[in-house]
Each structure stands twice: as structure tokens, then as C-alpha cells.
Amino acid sequence: DLDFSSAAETYALLTIGDGLVAQIPSLLLATAVAVIVTRMSRSEDMGAQLASQLLGDKRVLRVAAGILAVLGLIPGMPNMAFLLMALLCATASWLATRTVIQEEAEELTDEAPLDEPAQPRELSWDDVGEADVIALDVGYRLIPLVDQQQNGELMRRIKGVRKRLSSELGFLVPAVRIRDDLELGANHYRISLNGSALAEGDVVLDRELAINPGHIEGAIEGLPTKEPAFGLDAVWVDPVQRDSAQSMGYTVVDVSTVVATHMSKILQDNAHELFGHQEAQEMLDRLAVHSPKLVEELVPKTLPLSVIVRVMQDLLRDQVPVSNMRAICQALAEHGRSTQEPEALVAAVRVALGRTLVQQAGHDSGELPVITLDPALEQILKEAVTSGDDAGIEPGLAEQVQSRLAETAQKQEIAGEPAILLVSPALRPWLSRFLRFAVPNLKVLAYNEVPDSKRVKLVAAVGA
């Protein structure tokens, strides 16, 4: 029985007004869920984030102003409140638009003219390249081996090699710089020290290397090759052949192990090139924490740092670890007052490290099996060395000495004994250099380097 205007007003109050009030809890719940789902993972101010996301876009304010204006025109609604809020949103949108226009104008004003040429930058020392101490270059197919995002196994293996060598040699091995080189073959890699390439090789990425230790006669299907580190016969086989190859006696390793083993061999054979003044100073600083008087007396009162570096490099060249820094410095401090010749100081340090030398040669029992030279041959070599005329040794004689020592060392290895050549102290440095590459598995020791607790057992005399 109500007239049209009264009925419309009552209908609007009951549907729109009460309906909006009933939707407020659902709206708040939906907003809270949206905030939780789209929350930021880092620490941020929630109020600032809500303000920037809800009010940062001027279009949001325009839409909100339009909706509020429509609601304010509905009869029975709080018209003044809705219209006032619509006016505030419209004003805020206009101010935001004006601020953006001003910022864009300022950016255009601050920009330099496009036709103004840029001034060339002056060259500096940063533009000069420096050779990496250790570098590994790989072909493009080997990139997955060194890519951390692809779980490259070679990165972990190289880190293990550095850790093991640092522990064995006694100083921190520098980091390895790994880079891809498009000039290399797809499966090729190259190992460089101080900017010079020392070794390289080829690997097959989807296969494994079955290495023949030397006593296996049975053949296995695959691609014949040579193991790059030690030159052993090997075959690239499919991974499914691993168990079969191991049952035949082969040593089967993956590609990452092949490259890491090759690098380990190169670094160990050339450890003296990795050691410099910085490494020597760091080792002296570590020793000074426990033995400050020893270091204070040694450097620079007794010996300059350059002489100590030379001594350490000669020890590493002979595969002698320098981890016992206290014994090395004590020997240098004792003999450095009488001479600063690196060769004489190396001989004194080797005597102090006698136990380490014998242990490093691979023999821990009380009896030391050794190879010696015939007295007549040793006298001939000693006269040539002491006279300074190394070239005076007859080439045929030198070749025979190398051949006989190589045969004797091989017999010792077959018998499971270390190959140790025992000579006079005056002859040891020259023979060590003479046999370093010809008979690499032969250790050359001087008489005075063998500890008194070791009994010497003569197994062969070369030259008789």
C-alpha cells in the first residue's frame, strides 16, 4: 500500500544497504587472503606496500572515484559521505598525474643532447690484462661440466684437488679460473699456468674412461685412447659397461675425474711455479704467531725474502712439501749466516727434513732399500760436476746411466719397493735435475739426508 517513491526507498535500503553491509566481512576476508598469498619474501613495511600497490596507479583512484560517485547518487545512501570520498579520490588521481608529468619533464631536461659526442675514456691499468696463475679453458660441449647452474661436477672436483694439494704441499694453491674458449675443439680442454699452456686433452662427454693399469690383456669395446695424466692405455666406454669393465680389472672414471686428475698432476709437477713472494710472506706470518723470535731473526736480518722464496721453490721442484715451515726456517737461520747461496741452503734444509724425505719416498719400515752408483762412475760424475763442466760427460755414458737407472727403478716398482737412488751430497742436485724427466719415479737422496734410525739395504749398484 506504499506509493512508488516510498516503496523504492524501502527496497533500496533493504537490498543495496543491507547487502553491502553483509558483504563487508567477505570483502575483508578476501583482501586478507590476497595479502597473504601475494606477500613479499623479504622484509618490507606492510603499510608502505599496500599504499604503493593500491594507490600507486592513478587509474585505480579514477575507478574508485567513479564507483563512489554512483553510490552517492543512490537514494537513501549517505550521499554526502560517498560524494566527498569520490571528490577526494578524484583529487588524488589528478595530483598523481600532475606529479608524473613533472618528473618526466625534469628527466628530459636533465638529459644531455643526443647530438653531443661522448668523451672517450682515458686508458688505465684496469685495461691491461693480467695472466691467470691457473686457468682451465674448455670447449663449448664441456660447459655443462663447469656450469654451477647445471650442477657441474668438475667445479667440485677442482675444489677438492686444490684442498688436497694445499694440504700436501704446505701452501694455499691459488684459485682456478675456468672459462669457455670457442677456438678450442668442442670436447677439448687446456690447462695453463701463468699464461702458458702446459697440457691439453680431449674427452667424450657422454662416456666414461676405462683405464688399463698395465696388466689387463682382455679387450673391451669402445674408443681407444690414452689417459691424459699418466699416459696409460684406456678406452672410452658407455656408462652401461662400467660394471663389466671393472670386473675385468679396468679402473673406470667419469669425465670430471679425468680432467681433475690431469689438473692435479700438472699442478703437483709444477708446484714451484705457483709459489711466490706473497705465499712465502703469508707462511712466515703464520709461523710468527707461534715462533715470533725465529721469524724476526730470519727475515730480514739473516736472509732476504727473495732467497727464502728461491729455496722453497727448489724444494717444491724436487716434490718436497714445505708444510714443516718451522724446521725449514730453523735450518735457514742456522746456515744463512755463513752462506746465501740457494743451492747450499737447500741442501741444509733437506738434511733437516730427512725423515720427511724418506717418508715421502714411500718407505716407512726400518730398512731402506736403495740403489747406488758404482764408485768409479760416481767419481767420474762428481769430477765433472765439481769442475763446472757438465757438458764434459760423454753423451753415450749419460744415456747408459739413464737407461740402467730406469730399468732398475722399474724392477723396484714391480717388486713393490720404492725406487731410491743414494748418492753423495755434492752429486745429488745435479743428478736430481738430470733424472727428473728421464726417470720421474726415481727419488734421489744424499747420504746425509737419511736419518740415523734407518738401516740402508743395497739392492743394486749401477755402473759396475
Side-chain angles (χ1 to χ4, degrees), residues 320-360:
V320 179
V322 294
S323 54
N324 193 354
M325 193 64 179
R326 186 171 182 270
I328 294 175
C329 289
Q330 285 179 342
L332 292 176
E334 180 180 354
H335 295 84
R337 299 185 182 92
S338 58
T339 180
Q340 291 193 359
E341 289 294 328
E343 187 170 315
L345 294 174
V346 169
V349 171
R350 288 180 61 93
V351 173
L353 299 177
R355 290 190 180 89
T356 302
L357 297 179
V358 173
Q359 183 178 2
Q360 191 238 355

Short mmCIF file of all heavy atoms in Angstrom, two decimals, residues 320-360:
data_model
loop_
_atom_site.label_atom_id
_atom_site.label_comp_id
_atom_site.label_asym_id
_atom_site.label_seq_id
_atom_site.Cartn_x
_atom_site.Cartn_y
_atom_site.Cartn_z
N VAL A 320 109.27 -31.88 -2.70
CA VAL A 320 109.39 -31.88 -1.25
C VAL A 320 108.36 -30.91 -0.68
O VAL A 320 108.38 -29.72 -1.02
CB VAL A 320 110.80 -31.47 -0.79
CG1 VAL A 320 110.89 -31.45 0.73
CG2 VAL A 320 111.83 -32.42 -1.39
N PRO A 321 107.44 -31.35 0.18
CA PRO A 321 106.45 -30.43 0.75
C PRO A 321 107.11 -29.43 1.68
O PRO A 321 108.14 -29.72 2.32
CB PRO A 321 105.49 -31.36 1.50
CG PRO A 321 106.29 -32.59 1.79
CD PRO A 321 107.24 -32.75 0.65
N VAL A 322 106.52 -28.24 1.77
CA VAL A 322 107.07 -27.18 2.62
C VAL A 322 106.15 -26.92 3.81
O VAL A 322 106.11 -25.80 4.33
CB VAL A 322 107.27 -25.89 1.80
CG1 VAL A 322 108.35 -26.09 0.75
CG2 VAL A 322 105.96 -25.46 1.14
N SER A 323 105.42 -27.94 4.23
CA SER A 323 104.49 -27.76 5.34
C SER A 323 105.20 -27.58 6.67
O SER A 323 104.70 -26.89 7.56
CB SER A 323 103.53 -28.95 5.41
OG SER A 323 104.26 -30.17 5.47
N ASN A 324 106.39 -28.18 6.84
CA ASN A 324 107.14 -28.05 8.10
C ASN A 324 107.96 -26.76 8.05
O ASN A 324 109.19 -26.77 7.96
CB ASN A 324 108.04 -29.27 8.31
CG ASN A 324 108.59 -29.34 9.72
OD1 ASN A 324 108.40 -28.42 10.52
ND2 ASN A 324 109.28 -30.42 10.03
N MET A 325 107.25 -25.64 8.13
CA MET A 325 107.89 -24.34 7.98
C MET A 325 108.84 -24.05 9.14
O MET A 325 109.86 -23.38 8.95
CB MET A 325 106.82 -23.26 7.89
CG MET A 325 107.33 -21.92 7.43
SD MET A 325 107.96 -22.00 5.73
CE MET A 325 108.44 -20.28 5.48
N ARG A 326 108.56 -24.56 10.31
CA ARG A 326 109.42 -24.30 11.47
C ARG A 326 110.80 -24.93 11.28
O ARG A 326 111.83 -24.27 11.50
CB ARG A 326 108.76 -24.84 12.73
CG ARG A 326 109.49 -24.50 14.02
CD ARG A 326 108.63 -24.87 15.23
NE ARG A 326 109.28 -24.51 16.47
CZ ARG A 326 110.11 -25.32 17.15
NH1 ARG A 326 110.35 -26.54 16.68
NH2 ARG A 326 110.66 -24.92 18.26
N ALA A 327 110.85 -26.19 10.81
CA ALA A 327 112.13 -26.84 10.59
C ALA A 327 112.89 -26.17 9.45
O ALA A 327 114.12 -26.02 9.50
CB ALA A 327 111.92 -28.32 10.29
N ILE A 328 112.18 -25.76 8.41
CA ILE A 328 112.83 -25.09 7.28
C ILE A 328 113.46 -23.77 7.73
O ILE A 328 114.62 -23.47 7.40
CB ILE A 328 111.80 -24.85 6.15
CG1 ILE A 328 111.33 -26.19 5.57
CG2 ILE A 328 112.39 -23.97 5.05
CD1 ILE A 328 110.22 -26.06 4.54
N CYS A 329 112.73 -22.98 8.49
CA CYS A 329 113.26 -21.68 8.92
C CYS A 329 114.40 -21.84 9.92
O CYS A 329 115.35 -21.04 9.93
CB CYS A 329 112.13 -20.85 9.53
SG CYS A 329 110.94 -20.26 8.31
N GLN A 330 114.33 -22.86 10.77
CA GLN A 330 115.45 -23.09 11.69
C GLN A 330 116.72 -23.44 10.94
O GLN A 330 117.81 -22.95 11.28
CB GLN A 330 115.07 -24.21 12.66
CG GLN A 330 114.08 -23.80 13.74
CD GLN A 330 113.72 -24.95 14.66
OE1 GLN A 330 113.94 -26.12 14.33
NE2 GLN A 330 113.15 -24.63 15.81
N ALA A 331 116.62 -24.28 9.91
CA ALA A 331 117.80 -24.62 9.12
C ALA A 331 118.32 -23.40 8.36
O ALA A 331 119.54 -23.18 8.27
CB ALA A 331 117.46 -25.75 8.14
N LEU A 332 117.42 -22.57 7.83
CA LEU A 332 117.85 -21.36 7.12
C LEU A 332 118.50 -20.37 8.07
O LEU A 332 119.50 -19.72 7.71
CB LEU A 332 116.66 -20.72 6.41
CG LEU A 332 116.05 -21.51 5.25
CD1 LEU A 332 114.82 -20.80 4.70
CD2 LEU A 332 117.08 -21.70 4.13
N ALA A 333 117.95 -20.21 9.26
CA ALA A 333 118.54 -19.27 10.22
C ALA A 333 119.91 -19.74 10.69
O ALA A 333 120.80 -18.92 10.95
CB ALA A 333 117.59 -19.12 11.41
N GLU A 334 120.11 -21.05 10.77
CA GLU A 334 121.39 -21.59 11.23
C GLU A 334 122.47 -21.47 10.17
O GLU A 334 123.62 -21.11 10.48
CB GLU A 334 121.20 -23.05 11.63
CG GLU A 334 122.48 -23.71 12.14
CD GLU A 334 122.25 -25.16 12.54
OE1 GLU A 334 121.09 -25.61 12.52
OE2 GLU A 334 123.25 -25.84 12.84
N HIS A 335 122.14 -21.78 8.93
CA HIS A 335 123.15 -21.78 7.87
C HIS A 335 123.16 -20.49 7.06
O HIS A 335 124.07 -20.28 6.25
CB HIS A 335 122.91 -22.96 6.92
CG HIS A 335 123.09 -24.30 7.57
ND1 HIS A 335 122.09 -24.92 8.29
CD2 HIS A 335 124.16 -25.13 7.61
CE1 HIS A 335 122.52 -26.09 8.74
NE2 HIS A 335 123.78 -26.25 8.35
N GLY A 336 122.15 -19.63 7.25
CA GLY A 336 122.10 -18.39 6.49
C GLY A 336 123.18 -17.40 6.88
O GLY A 336 123.47 -16.48 6.11
N ARG A 337 123.79 -17.57 8.05
CA ARG A 337 124.86 -16.65 8.47
C ARG A 337 126.15 -16.89 7.68
O ARG A 337 126.96 -15.98 7.52
CB ARG A 337 125.14 -16.81 9.96
CG ARG A 337 123.95 -16.49 10.86
CD ARG A 337 124.35 -16.57 12.32
NE ARG A 337 123.23 -16.31 13.21
CZ ARG A 337 122.44 -17.26 13.70
NH1 ARG A 337 122.67 -18.53 13.38
NH2 ARG A 337 121.44 -16.96 14.50
N SER A 338 126.33 -18.12 7.21
CA SER A 338 127.58 -18.46 6.52
C SER A 338 127.46 -18.39 5.00
O SER A 338 128.47 -18.21 4.31
CB SER A 338 128.04 -19.86 6.94
OG SER A 338 127.03 -20.82 6.65
N THR A 339 126.26 -18.55 4.46
CA THR A 339 126.10 -18.52 3.00
C THR A 339 124.68 -18.09 2.65
O THR A 339 123.75 -18.30 3.43
CB THR A 339 126.38 -19.90 2.38
OG1 THR A 339 126.21 -19.82 0.96
CG2 THR A 339 125.43 -20.94 2.93
N GLN A 340 124.57 -17.47 1.50
CA GLN A 340 123.26 -17.11 0.97
C GLN A 340 123.02 -17.76 -0.39
O GLN A 340 122.10 -17.37 -1.11
CB GLN A 340 123.12 -15.58 0.86
CG GLN A 340 123.04 -14.88 2.19
CD GLN A 340 122.59 -13.44 2.06
OE1 GLN A 340 122.35 -12.94 0.97
NE2 GLN A 340 122.47 -12.75 3.19
N GLU A 341 123.84 -18.77 -0.72
CA GLU A 341 123.66 -19.50 -1.96
C GLU A 341 122.45 -20.42 -1.82
O GLU A 341 122.39 -21.26 -0.91
CB GLU A 341 124.91 -20.33 -2.28
CG GLU A 341 126.10 -19.50 -2.70
CD GLU A 341 125.85 -18.79 -4.03
OE1 GLU A 341 125.11 -19.35 -4.88
OE2 GLU A 341 126.39 -17.69 -4.22
N PRO A 342 121.45 -20.28 -2.69
CA PRO A 342 120.25 -21.10 -2.57
C PRO A 342 120.52 -22.60 -2.61
O PRO A 342 119.90 -23.37 -1.86
CB PRO A 342 119.40 -20.66 -3.77
CG PRO A 342 119.87 -19.28 -4.08
CD PRO A 342 121.33 -19.29 -3.78
N GLU A 343 121.49 -23.05 -3.44
CA GLU A 343 121.75 -24.49 -3.52
C GLU A 343 122.29 -25.03 -2.22
O GLU A 343 121.89 -26.12 -1.76
CB GLU A 343 122.71 -24.76 -4.67
CG GLU A 343 122.91 -26.24 -4.97
CD GLU A 343 123.69 -26.47 -6.25
OE1 GLU A 343 123.38 -25.80 -7.26
OE2 GLU A 343 124.59 -27.33 -6.25
N ALA A 344 123.20 -24.30 -1.57
CA ALA A 344 123.74 -24.75 -0.28
C ALA A 344 122.66 -24.73 0.80
O ALA A 344 122.60 -25.63 1.66
CB ALA A 344 124.92 -23.87 0.12
N LEU A 345 121.79 -23.72 0.78
CA LEU A 345 120.72 -23.64 1.76
C LEU A 345 119.70 -24.76 1.55
O LEU A 345 119.17 -25.32 2.52
CB LEU A 345 120.04 -22.28 1.68
CG LEU A 345 120.91 -21.08 2.09
CD1 LEU A 345 120.17 -19.77 1.84
CD2 LEU A 345 121.30 -21.18 3.56
N VAL A 346 119.43 -25.10 0.29
CA VAL A 346 118.50 -26.21 0.01
C VAL A 346 119.07 -27.51 0.56
O VAL A 346 118.35 -28.33 1.15
CB VAL A 346 118.24 -26.32 -1.51
CG1 VAL A 346 117.51 -27.62 -1.83
CG2 VAL A 346 117.44 -25.13 -1.98
N ALA A 347 120.37 -27.73 0.39
CA ALA A 347 120.99 -28.94 0.91
C ALA A 347 120.87 -29.00 2.43
O ALA A 347 120.59 -30.07 2.99
CB ALA A 347 122.46 -29.00 0.49
N ALA A 348 121.04 -27.87 3.12
CA ALA A 348 120.91 -27.86 4.57
C ALA A 348 119.47 -28.12 5.01
O ALA A 348 119.23 -28.84 5.98
CB ALA A 348 121.39 -26.51 5.11
N VAL A 349 118.53 -27.56 4.28
CA VAL A 349 117.12 -27.78 4.63
C VAL A 349 116.73 -29.23 4.39
O VAL A 349 115.99 -29.83 5.18
CB VAL A 349 116.23 -26.82 3.80
CG1 VAL A 349 114.75 -27.18 3.99
CG2 VAL A 349 116.47 -25.38 4.22
N ARG A 350 117.23 -29.83 3.33
CA ARG A 350 116.90 -31.23 3.05
C ARG A 350 117.43 -32.15 4.15
O ARG A 350 116.78 -33.15 4.50
CB ARG A 350 117.47 -31.64 1.69
CG ARG A 350 116.74 -31.03 0.50
CD ARG A 350 117.39 -31.50 -0.81
NE ARG A 350 117.31 -32.95 -0.94
CZ ARG A 350 116.32 -33.60 -1.57
NH1 ARG A 350 115.32 -32.91 -2.10
NH2 ARG A 350 116.33 -34.92 -1.66
N VAL A 351 118.58 -31.83 4.70
CA VAL A 351 119.09 -32.63 5.82
C VAL A 351 118.15 -32.51 7.02
O VAL A 351 117.86 -33.50 7.71
CB VAL A 351 120.52 -32.19 6.19
CG1 VAL A 351 121.00 -32.89 7.46
CG2 VAL A 351 121.48 -32.47 5.05
N ALA A 352 117.66 -31.31 7.28
CA ALA A 352 116.72 -31.11 8.39
C ALA A 352 115.40 -31.84 8.15
O ALA A 352 114.71 -32.22 9.11
CB ALA A 352 116.48 -29.62 8.61
N LEU A 353 115.03 -32.02 6.90
CA LEU A 353 113.77 -32.69 6.55
C LEU A 353 114.01 -34.15 6.16
O LEU A 353 113.21 -34.73 5.41
CB LEU A 353 113.09 -31.96 5.39
CG LEU A 353 112.69 -30.50 5.62
CD1 LEU A 353 112.09 -29.91 4.35
CD2 LEU A 353 111.69 -30.39 6.77
N GLY A 354 115.06 -34.76 6.68
CA GLY A 354 115.41 -36.13 6.28
C GLY A 354 114.28 -37.12 6.47
O GLY A 354 113.99 -37.93 5.58
N ARG A 355 113.63 -37.09 7.63
CA ARG A 355 112.53 -38.03 7.86
C ARG A 355 111.39 -37.83 6.87
O ARG A 355 110.80 -38.79 6.38
CB ARG A 355 112.02 -37.87 9.30
CG ARG A 355 112.98 -38.35 10.37
CD ARG A 355 112.29 -38.37 11.73
NE ARG A 355 113.19 -38.83 12.75
CZ ARG A 355 114.00 -38.03 13.47
NH1 ARG A 355 114.00 -36.73 13.22
NH2 ARG A 355 114.79 -38.52 14.39
N THR A 356 111.10 -36.57 6.59
CA THR A 356 110.04 -36.28 5.62
C THR A 356 110.40 -36.78 4.23
O THR A 356 109.55 -37.32 3.51
CB THR A 356 109.77 -34.77 5.57
OG1 THR A 356 109.42 -34.31 6.87
CG2 THR A 356 108.64 -34.45 4.60
N LEU A 357 111.67 -36.66 3.84
CA LEU A 357 112.10 -37.11 2.52
C LEU A 357 111.97 -38.62 2.38
O LEU A 357 111.50 -39.13 1.36
CB LEU A 357 113.55 -36.68 2.26
CG LEU A 357 113.82 -35.17 2.22
CD1 LEU A 357 115.29 -34.90 1.99
CD2 LEU A 357 112.99 -34.51 1.14
N VAL A 358 112.40 -39.35 3.41
CA VAL A 358 112.31 -40.81 3.36
C VAL A 358 110.86 -41.26 3.36
O VAL A 358 110.46 -42.15 2.61
CB VAL A 358 113.08 -41.42 4.53
CG1 VAL A 358 112.87 -42.93 4.59
CG2 VAL A 358 114.56 -41.11 4.41
N GLN A 359 110.04 -40.61 4.19
CA GLN A 359 108.63 -40.96 4.23
C GLN A 359 107.94 -40.62 2.92
O GLN A 359 107.09 -41.37 2.42
CB GLN A 359 107.94 -40.24 5.39
CG GLN A 359 106.48 -40.60 5.56
CD GLN A 359 105.86 -39.89 6.74
OE1 GLN A 359 106.52 -39.10 7.41
NE2 GLN A 359 104.61 -40.17 7.00
N GLN A 360 108.32 -39.49 2.33
CA GLN A 360 107.71 -39.08 1.07
C GLN A 360 108.14 -39.98 -0.08
O GLN A 360 107.44 -40.12 -1.07
CB GLN A 360 108.09 -37.62 0.78
CG GLN A 360 107.30 -37.02 -0.35
CD GLN A 360 108.18 -36.53 -1.48
OE1 GLN A 360 109.40 -36.55 -1.38
NE2 GLN A 360 107.56 -36.10 -2.55
#
